[in-house]
Amino acid sequence: MHTETRPKPALVIYALAADLVLVLVFALSGRRSHAETLSVAGVLETAWPFLVALAAGWLICRTWAHPVQLLPRGICLWLITLILGMALRLASGATAAIPFVVVATLVLALFLLGHRILATLVLRRSAKA
């Protein structure tokens, strides 16, 4: 019989906070690279579709159960954040040119998967110590 252990609440909080901050950094960097205003309202206007998609991804992928797991949860979360975020962006009347989609794909992968890889390495190293 296989029993799953629940992750420590601090790990869930870390992963959720990192995801939220990194999606906001993604929006902030996009606005900055296009010389758009960096106001809170402006950043949230750019970020909201991806933040909503991120929340949906956390629910659909049950990310809280294994918050830094790369496969399958991290990949699932990244794809939902990207695809649903783009769909919401388009549905709201914003554009999604091919270069933006490519950059968003790469940056969100780097951010959402990268911090999970680093956290997993840190956790493994601290478990050995």
Side-chain angles (χ1 to χ4, degrees):
M1 180 174 174
H2 181 268
T3 59
E4 288 192 29
T5 59
R6 291 183 183 191
K8 293 181 179 177
L11 187 60
V12 176
I13 292 167
Y14 155 77
L16 180 58
D19 287 344
L20 290 170
V21 167
L22 290 169
V23 168
L24 288 170
V25 169
F26 161 69
L28 180 69
S29 65
R31 291 186 69 83
R32 184 171 181 209
S33 70
H34 293 288
E36 296 181 70
T37 59
L38 299 180
S39 67
V40 171
V43 172
L44 290 176
E45 179 184 351
T46 301
W48 81 261
F50 299 97
L51 292 171
V52 169
L54 179 72
W58 265 76
L59 292 172
I60 293 165
C61 304
R62 299 176 34 88
T63 305
W64 64 87
H66 297 280
V68 296
Q69 182 185 60
L70 188 62
L71 290 168
R73 283 178 173 85
I75 299 293
C76 175
L77 180 66
W78 163 57
L79 291 173
I80 289 171
T81 302
L82 175 68
I83 294 166
L84 181 56
M86 286 296 170
L88 290 171
R89 180 178 168 86
L90 290 170
S92 71
T95 62
I98 296 298
F100 174 71
V101 174
V102 170
V103 168
T105 300
L106 297 174
V107 171
L108 288 172
L110 175 68
F111 284 1
L112 298 178
L113 303 178
H115 88 83
R116 285 177 165 76
I117 293 168
L118 292 174
T120 298
L121 293 173
V122 168
L123 289 170
R124 284 184 185 157
R125 181 168 281 211
S126 64
K128 290 180 182 179

